[in-house]
Amino acid sequence: MCGGAGDSLLDDVRAADVDVYLTADLRHHPASEFVEAGGPALLDAAHWATEHPWLADAAAALTDALDVTTRVSTAVTDAWRLHGANNEGVK
């Protein structure tokens, strides 16, 4: 798993001999060539969704290491959102 854009790591993924690679922002040609060459399955999730889960841990590590105040934004900046009849903001 790689938070954020991870197609620069496709060679490392192949060498790791894994079944599935979860990352974001895969570019079409590198991803399709990777799969055609026998690489493992690719799961391309939204960029924000793959990075946000570890931000609280990163903020805590920075606070501890540098004695600074950190704040993690709660704004969802994901461009890809699922909207349905019961979702907030849908009319």
Side-chain angles (χ1 to χ4, degrees):
M1 180 171 130
C2 173
D7 65 9
S8 65
L9 300 172
L10 289 175
D11 288 336
D12 295 327
V13 170
R14 186 183 332 275
D17 193 31
V18 297
D19 295 322
V20 177
Y21 179 47
L22 170 62
T23 187
D25 298 334
L26 291 171
R27 293 172 293 150
H28 175 81
H29 291 286
S32 63
E33 291 166 5
F34 177 79
V35 172
E36 287 171 8
L42 298 175
L43 295 176
D44 188 356
H47 193 114
W48 177 88
T50 63
E51 289 186 345
H52 190 264
W54 59 265
L55 291 180
D57 290 338
L62 287 171
T63 298
D64 292 345
L66 303 175
D67 192 30
V68 296
T69 300
T70 59
R71 190 171 340 148
V72 176
S73 173
T74 59
V76 176
T77 59
D78 199 343
W80 312 112
R81 298 186 189 177
L82 177 64
H83 292 279
N86 295 324
N87 289 359
E88 190 175 313
V90 175
K91 296 180 183 180

